[in-house]
Amino acid sequence: MALPRPHRFDVYLAAGGLLGGLLLVGIGLSTRPASDPITLFDGPWPVLVPLVVLAGCELLRRAAPRTALLIGTAGICADVVTQGSLATVLMFTDVIYAAVLYGPLASARRIQWITGLLTVAGTLVPFAVWREPEALLIGVVVGVVAYGPAATGWIVRNHRDAAEAARLRAEQSVLLAEMDRTQAVTAERARMARELHDMVANHLSAIAIHSTAALSIDEPATSREALGVIRENSVAGLAEMRRLIGILRDGDGEPAAVPTLDGLTALVEGARANGLDVTLDACHDGAVPAPVELAAYRIVQESLTNALKHACPGRVTVSLAERDGSLMVEVSSPYGDRDGPRAPGSGAGLVGMRERAALLGGTFRAGPRGVLWTVHATLPVSEGESE
């Protein structure tokens, strides 16, 4: 099995530790004299073996930290029975530090506990055996060489993990903010598309139908009447378009004059002027929230536009009633084959009406019912119903 490639910084550490150890051996500096009882192999040459082993462990400190620690532990034990080298000891402390910092979390915890227990044992056992204060220094040395690097690595690891968690949270916050912004832009675009369609489509449909009638019927009176309707609807359509452009340019959230249920009478009168036979039956008690009023007005407006484009000759009925905390809106028009001019449709009106009802927590359905095409919407008017 091939060993992982060492990190460049680890190569520098290994080279620096090896050269520093060789320099100490060359000038004859060691951690213990040859006369020390635990020095089994005196002289400079035995010191080189653990020195080279620890230098090799430094190469693996980041790539394979547990392997480096196991081999380094054997190397430091070998260094104990020689005259010792300060460079070997320093490299071993770095190997412990790296094992806690870069190794698995479970291993880092175990190293913390093991080095702590060794420090306690190194302090109490020699003192209990020899009963001399100097024996306590063994525990101090073990703590400095083993537990100190492990504790330092654990602290650095915690800070590193906390910084990484903070970075991930920041990235998630940015991502959520971008998602919120995208959703807000999409919702605003959909809202403005509904407003544009509902405000302008009625006038353009009337213009298209009456211009087709004027071109197909060669009667001066009919053409004059159609041109009058075309002019009236074009002027009204331009006014609505200018108002919408002003909203977009100024950044206002709603039109300056939001349509209300009181404006249904004028809306029906305009539909009659465009050639529809419309009756209005509006019965609602008390004040209706502004969003519900706007949705009901737009649903009626779009339904009349669709009747103008697609309905057969006959009566169109608009009814509004408030029951059980909801405003019921229903528009019915004759359904079947139409002989006269017809304006093209894209289906966007039905989509817009369904979206308006859904945004208020209501229901919407549209389709043929016998000889009538019926649009029915239920819009909650109380706060409890709309939640």
Side-chain angles (χ1 to χ4, degrees):
M1 180 178 177
L3 291 175
R5 186 175 181 180
H7 193 273
R8 179 181 299 179
F9 180 72
D10 298 342
V11 174
Y12 294 155
L13 283 179
L18 181 60
L19 293 177
L22 293 176
L23 178 61
L24 294 176
V25 171
I27 61 177
L29 290 179
S30 59
T31 58
R32 287 178 299 277
S35 59
D36 195 294
I38 64 173
T39 303
L40 303 180
F41 303 96
D42 57 354
W45 298 110
V47 177
L48 298 179
V49 175
L51 177 66
V52 173
V53 170
L54 264 299
C57 293
E58 285 283 59
L59 295 175
L60 303 176
R61 64 188 293 274
R62 198 185 310 246
R66 289 188 296 181
T67 301
L69 180 59
L70 291 175
I71 298 174
T73 302
I76 198 66
C77 291
D79 184 72
V80 172
V81 297
T82 67
Q83 288 186 255
S85 173
L86 182 60
T88 304
V89 175
L90 292 177
M91 285 191 289
F92 179 71
T93 60
D94 181 68
V95 168
I96 294 179
Y97 168 83
V100 174
L101 181 60
Y102 301 116
L105 182 60
S107 296
R109 288 199 179 101
R110 282 196 296 269
I111 293 170
Q112 278 269 93
W113 280 101
I114 292 172
T115 54
L117 291 176
L118 287 176
T119 301
V120 173
T123 303
L124 298 180
V125 173
F127 180 76
V129 173
W130 293 320
R131 299 292 181 174
E132 294 183 4
E134 290 81 1
L136 296 174
L137 295 177
I138 297 177
V140 174
V141 172
V142 174
V144 172
V145 174
Y147 182 74
T152 303
W154 183 258
I155 293 172
V156 174
R157 180 177 185 132
N158 285 339
H159 283 292
R160 184 194 64 183
D161 293 344
E164 180 66 15
R167 185 185 65 83
L168 291 176
R169 286 195 297 270
E171 290 181 355
Q172 291 174 354
S173 299
V174 171
L175 181 60
L176 291 175
E178 181 63 21
M179 292 174 61
D180 291 342
R181 187 193 68 82
T182 302
Q183 291 176 356
V185 170
T186 302
E188 183 65 14
R189 290 176 63 180
R191 187 182 73 87
M192 298 310 298
R194 289 194 299 268
E195 291 296 320
L196 177 63
H197 181 276
D198 294 345
M199 286 193 297
V200 180
N202 184 38
H203 302 297
L204 294 182
S205 298
I207 291 173
I209 291 174
H210 284 86
S211 62
T212 302
L215 291 173
S216 59
I217 301 175
D218 189 13
E219 294 182 2
T222 303
S223 298
R224 187 178 300 106
E225 181 181 354
L227 289 174
V229 175
I230 290 173
R231 183 183 184 281
E232 180 180 348
N233 280 276
S234 62
V235 171
L238 285 173
E240 295 282 6
M241 183 67 73
R242 290 192 188 99
R243 183 172 63 174
L244 182 60
I245 292 174
I247 295 170
L248 294 173
R249 180 174 297 159
D250 298 337
D252 294 337
E254 294 290 342
V258 179
T260 63
L261 296 181
D262 295 335
L264 289 179
T265 302
L267 183 63
V268 169
E269 291 297 330
R272 289 172 182 158
N274 289 331
L276 286 178
D277 181 11
V278 188
T279 61
L280 173 63
D281 181 16
C283 298
H284 59 88
D285 300 329
V288 177
V292 176
E293 282 196 282
L294 176 60
Y297 182 94
R298 293 303 188 197
I299 289 174
V300 172
Q301 183 184 43
E302 179 58 26
S303 299
L304 293 178
T305 300
N306 290 339
L308 179 65
K309 293 192 293 184
H310 306 297
C312 299
R315 174 158 295 185
V316 179
T317 303
V318 179
S319 63
L320 282 85
E322 187 174 347
R323 292 195 300 270
D324 300 329
S326 297
L327 181 66
M328 309 293 181
V329 181
E330 185 170 296
V331 181
S332 59
S333 57
Y335 175 70
D337 296 332
R338 175 171 173 166
D339 298 330
R342 167 188 302 267
S346 62
L350 292 176
V351 174
M353 289 189 286
R354 184 172 289 105
E355 288 178 349
R356 288 185 184 277
L359 287 173
L360 295 174
T363 60
F364 173 85
R365 65 177 183 271
R369 189 168 65 187
V371 297
L372 298 177
W373 178 274
T374 303
V375 173
H376 183 85
T378 303
L379 308 175
V381 297
S382 61
E383 185 177 353
E385 293 289 337
S386 61
E387 286 181 351

